[in-house]
Amino acid sequence: MNTLRTAMLLAAMTALFMGVGYLIGGSGGMVIAFLIAAAMNLFSYWNADKMVLSMNRAVEVDERNAPEYYAIVQTLARQAGLPMPKTYLIDNPQPNAFATGRNPQNAAVAATTGLLQQLSHEEVAAVMAHELAHVQHRDTLTMTIVATLAGAISMLGNFAFFFGGNRDNNNSLGIIGVLVAMIVAPFAAMIVQMAISRTREYEADRRGAEICGQPLWLASALDKIARGAERIRNPDAERNPATAHLFIINPLSGERMDSLFSTHPNTDNRIAALQAMAQEMASAPAQRRPPMPGQAGGQRASGPWERAAEQPEQPPATPKSNPWGRNPTGPKGPWS
């Protein structure tokens, strides 16, 4: 259902983009708009991940300079049946994370140092499982296309403002068409972008909880990240608000409501859904529970949280202090 809804929203976005082109330049403008959209999406397909990582000043890490963090991602990727993504760290005190990349074979996940410092080992695992769920669902490509189309529609709206339409085209709407292109179309594009973002977050929450085996770990992590994002400003995200929808929690200040204009669902609603999922898992008979990702023959896949995952019906213990100490990446981190 979510896949169908996303496809319909993408089709609506494309139609809106071409409609704006028609309002500005008639049938010729519609063709030009289609060509612009195709060119921008092709560029985004190959380069969006590099651009997003660069905008957030992310640094690639591995098992040598971020052993614990890298091991978490590696174990989760194996349990989800995914290739190991490139792993990045962002030197930023706001707890947050995102995934990017055009497909699972060319994916990257990134976490802030604030996330590793403020969350427990289990909570970090749940967050990275959420990001791997986005990779598995190919949400990163979908959201890149949507963001690109939304930006292009806004660009066409600016063209309408400066050029005021073409009197020689076959568009008879005149100034009304120009106003629609300049104001209504970018507004509608923003709504479509927000709707797709919120749909994808709920799906990634559920799949991420399945990957790590503990919905309550992710619920606890979301609560901490949301409170941290309210207190701590993210300057890089504020300078590049078009990337806000990629983060697990909106990194922008003043964007916490589950409204029409929010890029993310309300955090309390997400936590409630995860708590309901935990109750479902706890009430399911042990012999009828589906195997965890990576299991064979009903045997649980190994991992650093194996013992806790065997008892999903129990609430998580009081969160432990983070295992990274002053240096969140391990003994040889890039910010030692």
Side-chain angles (χ1 to χ4, degrees), residues 42-221:
L42 184 62
F43 177 82
S44 298
Y45 180 84
W46 291 104
N47 298 286
D49 55 342
K50 302 179 186 67
M51 293 173 59
V52 170
L53 292 166
S54 176
M55 287 176 183
N56 289 278
R57 295 182 292 176
V59 176
E60 187 172 2
V61 296
D62 55 28
E63 67 274 9
R64 294 168 298 177
N65 54 14
E68 292 184 78
Y69 170 47
Y70 188 88
I72 287 175
V73 177
Q74 188 175 50
T75 301
L76 290 166
R78 183 168 57 247
Q79 292 191 185
L82 290 169
M84 178 64 186
K86 291 184 178 180
T87 308
Y88 288 80
L89 270 173
I90 302 168
D91 190 14
N92 190 310
Q94 184 189 87
N96 228 317
F98 67 83
T100 186
R102 60 184 181 271
N103 55 41
Q105 290 71 37
N106 296 276
V109 293
T112 65
T113 51
L115 183 90
L116 303 186
Q117 289 169 335
Q118 298 176 39
L119 272 64
S120 71
H121 186 98
E122 292 81 5
E123 290 164 342
V124 171
V127 170
M128 302 321 296
H130 170 101
E131 298 308 329
L132 288 174
H134 278 308
V135 172
Q136 193 168 56
H137 294 161
R138 298 177 184 262
D139 292 339
T140 51
L141 176 60
T142 300
M143 293 312 305
T144 296
I145 293 173
V146 171
T148 302
L149 284 173
I153 289 172
S154 297
M155 179 186 69
L156 287 183
N158 291 332
F159 284 167
F161 175 76
F162 285 112
F163 297 107
N166 183 358
R167 292 183 180 180
D168 296 329
N169 61 43
N170 56 3
N171 169 26
S172 61
L173 294 180
I175 189 62
I176 296 178
V178 172
L179 289 175
V180 169
M182 185 176 66
I183 301 174
V184 178
F187 181 76
M190 180 182 65
I191 293 175
V192 173
Q193 183 183 10
M194 302 306 105
I196 294 179
S197 299
R198 295 196 298 271
T199 299
R200 296 293 86 194
E201 287 304 317
Y202 278 119
E203 236 355 77
D205 283 347
R206 185 167 189 86
R207 178 57 183 149
E210 291 173 352
I211 293 172
C212 73
Q214 282 283 355
L216 295 180
W217 290 353
L218 183 54
S220 177

